[in-house]
Amino acid sequence: MGNNNKTIYIETYGCQMNVVDSETVMAIMTAEGFGRADDALGADVVLLNTCSIREGAEQRIWHRLDELAAQKRRRPGMVLGLIGCMAERLAERIVAERPAVDIVAGPDAYRSLPMLVGEAFTGGGRGVNVELSKEETYAEISPVRLDPAGVSAFVAIMRGCNNFCSYCVVPYTRGRERSRDPETIVREARELFDAGYREVTLLGQNVNSYSHEEVDFPELLRRVAAISSLLRVRFATSHPKDISDRLLETMAATPNICRAIHLPAQSGSSHVLERMNRRYTREWYLERISAIRRAMPDAAISTDIIAGFSGETPEDHAATLSLMREVGYQFAFMFKYSEREGTRAAQTMPDDVPDEVKTARLEEIIALQNELSLDSNHRDVGREFEILVEGTSKRSADKVFGRTSQNKVVIVPRDDLRPGDYVRVRITDCSSATLQGEII
Ligand code: SAM
Ligand code: SF4
């Protein structure tokens, strides 16, 4: 291919899945002879791996694209590409409105990137591939880790989504759900362990519906956890409608599967949940929370919440706050509803909660979550945990940070600890975001 001296830089926006996708693209491109650049400034190829989940995410990318277009005017040889969800969703508009963009490739088109880039270099015109696939899982490609000295890595176990939550653009930008061959997943996790990684997070939009021939998600988890008791296994995301007792039993029986479950509620009102097409009620959700607590009393539970969805009344909002209190989340990602073109909500449900009301509700939700996180952290003071050390504390070179199985960050004196070490600690103090500890 003659790419030996060419370098590539990938800038990643949005979710954890996009992190893995960028690493997969890097694997595809380095196999073709491209080298990795550390920033966009000198790179021959610059790709933005994009996110469409909310309007704000897309706005940031349009803005960044303008900066890179200005850079390209100074360096006309540079190839600029947009990949990922926004490329999938807005290919035509990008081509029409941004002449500086050479390549537009959707999430299932990454194997064609070397060809598209090659054509762009040889003046072959602008390359667009936004075809979605029913089969593509990039199964046999081992992603090139962007943090090679890391402790923790993401492993994609499936792609796409079939759930069609009425507000969500993902099923349109990432296509139908498909599960990756379990053997390739276990092999990749084993390679990571052998390379020094001590934690893998198995990723999918709804991991509970993972299914490949006879292997379901609990079985896959069991196989990955069996690689070594020193390998921590996490996963995201669980859809509440599908979180099964068998999964909880598997977790409870396997100490190196982490005691943390991310279970996005989105709303505490059954009325809103129905309009969101989440296919569970508040009561169902709370029953699943009880099931988690029965199986693993020490498990931490986190969530996603959307404020101000179509038709959300003050009572619905109050129900969300009461759900949050009832569950006592350790952590939450919290968003204002952002209408996305093409979704069922955009077509049939008015975006009728005024922006200032959305903002006020979101602020209440965030304030409550800060209280709940602080309460949860206070309860840990005096308790003992094993943490996996990840790196040096941002605030002090004399300290390191690591995580508990419950995914809480703990800061401890450095001693002679190194990333990847396990150490037992006692919690001595906390804020709403972190725990302080001493080594025992
Ligand atoms: N598949 C996962 C799930 O169902 O929980 C995560 C999907 S999405 C990448 C992450 C979160 O973004 C969702 O859980 C939801 O809270 C939020 N989200 C999705 N669409 C949104 C929208 N239109 N407006 C605001 N937040 C949205
Ligand atoms: Fe979007 Fe719902 Fe699929 Fe999550 S489960 S990606 S929120 S459609």
Side-chain angles (χ1 to χ4, degrees), residues 200-248:
V200 292
T201 303
L202 307 183
L203 291 183
Q205 298 299 345
N206 177 10
V207 290
N208 303 119
S209 60
Y210 176 90
S211 168
H212 192 283
E213 292 164 8
E214 81 293 359
V215 180
D216 63 2
F217 185 59
E219 173 60 17
L220 177 71
L221 258 187
R222 204 191 54 69
R223 290 188 190 184
V224 175
I227 290 170
S228 167
S229 60
L230 290 177
L231 180 69
R232 279 186 173 181
V233 186
R234 300 185 185 277
F235 56 89
T237 302
S238 286
H239 195 301
K241 75 179 165 60
D242 294 322
I243 185 163
S244 67
D245 290 340
R246 217 164 79 71
L247 170 67
L248 300 177

Side-chain angles (χ1 to χ4, degrees), residues 29 69 71-72 87 94 117 134 187 211 222 277 282 327 378 427 432 436:
M29 298 306 282
Q71 213 181 103
K72 194 174 159 170
I94 294 160
V117 169
K134 289 199 171 70
R187 190 188 316 138
S211 168
R222 204 191 54 69
N277 193 32
R282 176 191 176 98
V327 179
H378 270 309
I427 307 305
S432 65
Q436 301 285 333

